[in-house]
Every structure is written in C-alpha cells, then in structure tokens.
Amino acid sequence: MKKNNKIFIETYGCQMNFSDSEIVASILTNDGYELIPNVLEADIIFINTCSIRENAEDRVRKRLYYFKSLKKKNPKLVIGLLGCMADRTRLALVEEEQLLDLVAGPDSYRHLPDLIRQISKEIPAIDTILSTDETYADISPVRIDSNGISAFISIMRGCENYCSYCVVPFTRGKERSRDAASIIEETKDLFEKGYREVTLLGQNVNSYRWTNEEGTINFAQLLELIAEVNSRIRIRFATSHPKDISDELLYTIARHDNLCKAIHLPVQSGSDHILGLMNRKYTRKQYMERIEAIRRILPNCAISTDIISGFCEETEADHQDTLSLMEWVGYDAAYMFKYSERPQTLAAETLKDNVPTGIKDQRLQEIIQLQQKLSLERNKLEIGKTVQVLIEGRSKRSEDHYFGRTIQNKVVVFSKTIAQPGDLIKVKILSVTSATMIGETVES
Ligand code: SAH
Ligand code: SF4
Ligand code: F3S
C-alpha cells in the first residue's frame, strides 16, 4: 500500500463523465489507491469536469477554490482536474491561478498513476492529448455510488457531428466505437453480479460500428446481442441523434421485451432556420417523420428530448416553432437549456450570440412550463394501467415505500412488499404528477 493513497473523486456533467469516473476509479484502485467517500480525508482530490455550458465551468471553478482552501490545512494534498475542461482551461488554472497539481484529459486516464508519481517531484503533471483509438475496452469499471441494480456501459467515445453550439467534439475528440465482445462481456459480468439494468452510452449511439474478421456490427445488431445476454436484464441507451435513428433499430427494440421503450431524441429547436444554423443535419419535417416511425413501430414508447432556448438569431417565430413541435410530439420528458456560447465552436466563431439574456430566460421558462404540462398529460395516460416496475430501492421520501422504473423510464413509487430491489414487480398506477407516478402492487 502507498502512503498517500486515499482518493476522492467528484464528478460533473453527463452520464459519460460519471462512467469515466468509474474507469478512473478502476485504474487507480488497481494501482493500490483507495477510493473514499469523504473529501476531508482525501490525500488526492480529483474533479472530473464538464464544459458544456459556462455555468458548468463556473461551478467547477468554485469547487477548486474550496479544495485549494483545504490545502492550507494539508499542504501535501494533491488536486487534479480530469475530463472536458482539461485542455480548455489548463493554462488558466495551472499557470495563472495555480489551483492544480495535475490535469488529465478524457483519453489520458491510463497515465494517471504515472502522472501522480510525477507530482511527487513537485512539477504539475499534465496530459491532455486526445486519442483516436482509446476506448478503455479492457478496463472493468469500479462502480461508484451504485445501487447494485443499474450500471452505465460506455460503448463509444468522442463525437464528430460538430453541432455549431457544442464543445464536445473539441473536448472529447474523434468518434470511436468500443469492441463489441468487451461490451457483451461487461453486460454478462454485471448480470452475474446482480445488476438488472444497463445504460449504453455514447454521444451518438446510432453511429456505433465495430468491425472485426467476422464483419461489421452496427448499433441495432449490438443491441440485439446485448438483449440476448439475458432476458432479465433491461437495456437502455443514450443518446440517439435524429439524423441516424433507423427503422432497423426501432424494429429491434420492438422484438425484445427487455429493450426499453424509451427513446431520447434531442431536437434542440423546432425551427428549420435555427436547425440549419445549429448544423443539426435534419429539418423539422425529417424529425417529425422519425417521431412518426417511433409511434408506428413502438406505439408504447416514451420519447424525451433536449432543447436549447435563445440560440443565435432565434426570433419569436422560431421560438413558437419549438413550442408547437413540443406540443405535436407530446414529449414525456425534456432537458431544457439556455444557449451558452462556447469558445472554439462554429457558433462562437461565425455567429452572434444576439438574443438578450432576458429573452433567453423568458423563452426557457415558456418551454419548461409547456413541458410540465406535457409530462403530466403523458403520465396521466398511465393511470389505471398495470405496469412492470424494476425496483431500484427505498423511496427517498418514505421508509415504507420503494421506487423503481417502468420500461418507459418513468419513476413509480409504491408501498414496500416482500419483493427486493432488483426484482420486477407489477404495479397498478393510481395517480401521477409531471415527475412521478404513484401505484400499488398487484398479485401476478
Ligand atoms: N450528444 C447529445 C447531447 C450532448 S450534450 C446530442 O447530440 O444530442 C447534452 C445537451 O446539452 C445537448 O443536447 C444540448 O441540448 C445541450 N447543449 C450542448 N451545448 C450547449 C450550449 N452551448 N448551450 C446550451 N446547451 C447546450
Ligand atoms: Fe454535441 Fe452534437 Fe456531438 Fe451531441 S452530436 S455531442 S450536441 S456535437
Ligand atoms: Fe460535459 Fe463533457 Fe459530457 S462537456 S456533457 S462532461 S462530454
């Protein structure tokens, strides 16, 4: 065992980043470090960061000042920054503000043990080189804060879509797919350990492609292979890009009861003018055609989305197009954001961030309010139905209640029974809010 071996990892950003922290935890525990839950006892603090919007970066900066204050009491404390802010902010944070001892980008985690050893020579250790082939395929993640039921599996890294507002292609580099056999092995291993749900992760899972001597596997084929690992394990995935979601994929989902009937299909805007400026590569009409295909092939499928308010040049008419498309689809859920200009992106370099903040806020509020109404309407359709729920654990609000999710990814709360977390149970839906459904278990 090493002397300064207690590591604390704090994670921001998307599910992929949380999955990456589990890869980091695996690499470090294999090298003799111990992962601990309390920051005040740590010898090394890692913050795994997100650059997607300016406020995400501000939050990280604030935490770094706090961590720096801990260094006054413990001068040997090491502070390291991982993830999407690594390359973008290393100069400011290491040289100007001297907040960091270590910086590692998303493709450099295998080097962390060496980088930590370099710091002991009192040189800040930095590695932010992006790779074209790193997928961490052979690394078996150490699950952090796990409920023992659901787990993430990264199947791709990077993104080359270059949506004009988005920083991800710059922070995570080229798109690459992970060896299919290693994904199937990881799923089998999780099932044997008692996990009953996996979420396959990538920025655009529909463009998954793995080629070996036997041929090429696309995303629909991968999904089928994973569904067949065991019918008791539920499979979710995120994110689907609307330009790439194929009928083949929808038919595959229809064929398997354990492939979740929930599709996250970020639309970003309902206006063709804005979609063009965003470089999303689909029109409103093409998006609607994909929604119709989902409704036709998967009639019981929940659909969720991401929306950005106040992108460059967005007019009131463009905004109204977004609202009318939301109504037309009737989304079950949405993540909604105010546009935040990111350095390096096409929008930052070629367009004007010219919608005033007040208007961005007002439009965002209208979008949020409409979504609350739509979520409630969609959830109300479930009242009276008996649905299958995967129990995830005890409800946060009540000792006597469990919570779990339906195959459509809707949260259900119900009175505890003799069933255990990880079990599938039938629940009749009695009442709903826009966020949760309340039910009672029924004898099967
Ligand atoms: N790969 C996924 C999403 C990745 S980022 C996709 O293509 O849909 C998650 C969400 O953050 C995006 O869908 C978008 O809605 C939002 N987002 C990305 N960049 C943003 C920015 N500069 N300002 C505001 N929201 C942004
Ligand atoms: Fe960003 Fe677009 Fe890639 Fe999604 S698909 S990560 S929004 S560039
Ligand atoms: Fe953020 Fe990077 Fe994910 S920018 S959203 S942590 S890919």
Side-chain angles (χ1 to χ4, degrees), residues 25-192:
S26 170
I27 291 166
L28 293 173
T29 49
N30 280 337
D31 202 58
Y33 292 93
E34 182 195 353
L35 202 66
I36 57 156
N38 183 352
V39 67
L40 297 175
E41 289 166 13
D43 304 306
I44 303 178
I45 300 174
F46 280 134
I47 181 158
N48 193 0
T49 60
C50 174
S51 287
I52 202 82
R53 284 167 290 274
E54 197 174 353
N55 60 8
E57 291 194 349
D58 291 346
R59 215 173 307 145
V60 165
R61 219 173 265 267
K62 273 202 197 112
R63 280 303 273 174
L64 285 176
Y65 286 121
Y66 168 66
F67 295 153
K68 177 115 189 200
S69 76
L70 298 178
K71 238 182 165 165
K72 290 208 183 94
K73 288 170 226 150
N74 174 13
K76 282 199 188 134
L77 181 66
V78 166
I79 303 173
L81 183 141
L82 313 177
C84 290
M85 278 172 72
D87 195 41
R88 291 184 14 74
T89 54
R90 70 195 146 101
L91 285 181
L93 295 175
V94 176
E95 287 172 20
E96 291 160 27
E97 301 193 55
Q98 301 191 336
L99 285 173
L100 297 167
D101 307 293
L102 180 152
V103 180
D107 291 339
S108 307
Y109 299 148
R110 284 182 203 269
H111 305 153
L112 279 173
D114 283 342
L115 289 168
I116 296 170
R117 279 188 273 277
Q118 283 177 30
I119 314 169
S120 59
K121 293 178 213 144
E122 300 197 344
I123 314 159
I126 299 179
D127 183 350
T128 61
I129 297 169
L130 291 171
S131 149
T132 51
D133 57 4
E134 176 64 275
T135 59
Y136 301 110
D138 55 318
I139 291 178
S140 173
V142 167
R143 307 291 161 183
I144 302 175
D145 291 337
S146 170
N147 60 4
I149 312 290
S150 339
F152 294 133
I153 302 184
S154 269
I155 64 163
M156 300 174 74
R157 299 184 72 79
C159 180
E160 283 164 60
N161 283 313
Y162 291 97
C163 301
S164 64
Y165 51 81
C166 183
V167 78
V168 173
F170 305 95
T171 64
R172 293 204 161 236
K174 293 245 174 268
E175 181 184 287
R176 64 218 100 123
S177 297
R178 172 179 166 188
D179 177 350
S182 76
I183 301 170
I184 293 160
E185 275 316 304
E186 191 171 334
T187 311
K188 282 186 183 154
D189 182 53
L190 284 165
F191 183 77
E192 276 155 24

Side-chain angles (χ1 to χ4, degrees), residues 52-53 165-166 203 239 266 268 280 306 308 337-340 342:
I52 202 82
R53 284 167 290 274
Y165 51 81
C166 183
Q203 295 298 354
T239 297
Q268 315 298 358
R280 285 293 283 179
D306 292 349
I308 298 176
F337 313 100
K338 191 164 70 161
Y339 173 57
S340 161
R342 309 312 292 131

Side-chain angles (χ1 to χ4, degrees), residues 328-344:
W328 181 85
V329 177
Y331 289 111
D332 291 85
Y335 296 96
M336 298 153 285
F337 313 100
K338 191 164 70 161
Y339 173 57
S340 161
E341 186 177 86
R342 309 312 292 131
Q344 278 183 292

Side-chain angles (χ1 to χ4, degrees), residues 161-428:
N161 283 313
Y162 291 97
C163 301
S164 64
Y165 51 81
C166 183
V167 78
V168 173
F170 305 95
T171 64
R172 293 204 161 236
K174 293 245 174 268
E175 181 184 287
R176 64 218 100 123
S177 297
R178 172 179 166 188
D179 177 350
S182 76
I183 301 170
I184 293 160
E185 275 316 304
E186 191 171 334
T187 311
K188 282 186 183 154
D189 182 53
L190 284 165
F191 183 77
E192 276 155 24
K193 289 182 175 141
Y195 286 83
R196 292 294 175 263
E197 182 181 80
V198 297
T199 304
L200 309 178
L201 297 177
Q203 295 298 354
N204 177 11
V205 288
N206 302 109
S207 59
Y208 176 88
R209 202 157 291 273
W210 176 256
T211 305
N212 64 9
E213 315 78 59
E214 289 156 35
T216 298
I217 295 180
N218 67 18
F219 183 58
Q221 291 160 332
L222 176 75
L223 213 49
E224 185 127 57
L225 289 169
I226 299 176
E228 284 164 0
V229 165
N230 194 301
S231 60
R232 284 273 343 261
I233 191 156
R234 276 186 179 179
I235 295 121
R236 302 192 184 283
F237 57 88
T239 297
S240 292
H241 195 297
K243 74 179 165 61
D244 296 321
I245 186 162
S246 65
D247 283 0
E248 181 197 7
L249 176 72
L250 302 178
Y251 284 116
T252 305
I253 298 172
R255 272 200 302 280
H256 294 272
D257 286 342
N258 58 335
L259 293 181
C260 284
K261 307 300 180 266
I263 294 182
H264 187 61
L265 203 64
V267 67
Q268 315 298 358
S269 168
S271 147
D272 280 340
H273 177 224
I274 298 298
L275 288 172
L277 292 178
M278 285 178 163
N279 193 28
R280 285 293 283 179
K281 304 186 186 87
Y282 54 83
T283 60
R284 176 186 174 101
K285 192 156 167 258
Q286 285 165 335
Y287 185 88
M288 290 166 90
E289 191 278 318
R290 289 291 77 205
I291 297 290
E292 280 168 344
I294 296 172
R295 297 271 187 245
R296 185 172 68 244
I297 301 167
L298 299 167
N300 197 27
C301 189
I303 303 176
S304 55
T305 200
D306 292 349
I307 296 175
I308 298 176
S309 83
F311 186 64
C312 312
E313 296 183 23
E314 187 187 73
T315 62
E316 181 58 27
D318 294 320
H319 170 60
Q320 290 301 327
D321 283 347
T322 299
L323 296 175
S324 70
L325 186 62
M326 289 172 71
E327 287 261 18
W328 181 85
V329 177
Y331 289 111
D332 291 85
Y335 296 96
M336 298 153 285
F337 313 100
K338 191 164 70 161
Y339 173 57
S340 161
E341 186 177 86
R342 309 312 292 131
Q344 278 183 292
T345 58
L346 203 66
E349 313 235 308
T350 63
L351 299 170
K352 281 212 175 76
D353 181 10
N354 55 3
V355 177
T357 308
I359 294 188
K360 280 184 188 170
D361 282 329
Q362 190 191 324
R363 290 181 186 164
L364 181 62
Q365 279 319 310
E366 287 172 24
I367 289 168
I368 292 171
Q369 268 170 20
L370 173 58
Q371 186 50 46
Q372 271 174 352
K373 185 191 95 164
L374 296 175
S375 297
L376 182 63
E377 279 170 16
R378 294 290 299 174
N379 286 351
K380 274 186 180 164
L381 297 177
E382 300 299 300
I383 295 175
K385 286 189 192 163
T386 297
V387 293
Q388 215 170 33
V389 175
L390 175 66
I391 308 176
E392 287 186 29
R394 192 169 67 75
S395 155
K396 283 180 201 89
R397 295 221 185 126
S398 152
E399 287 268 338
D400 308 326
H401 288 76
Y402 275 142
F403 85 98
R405 271 167 220 271
T406 68
I407 197 89
Q408 296 185 324
N409 210 16
K410 292 181 189 275
V411 175
V412 184
V413 175
F414 54 96
S415 291
K416 271 188 178 169
T417 65
I418 46 164
Q420 295 297 314
D423 288 346
L424 280 173
I425 192 164
K426 283 190 177 153
V427 177
K428 184 172 177 187

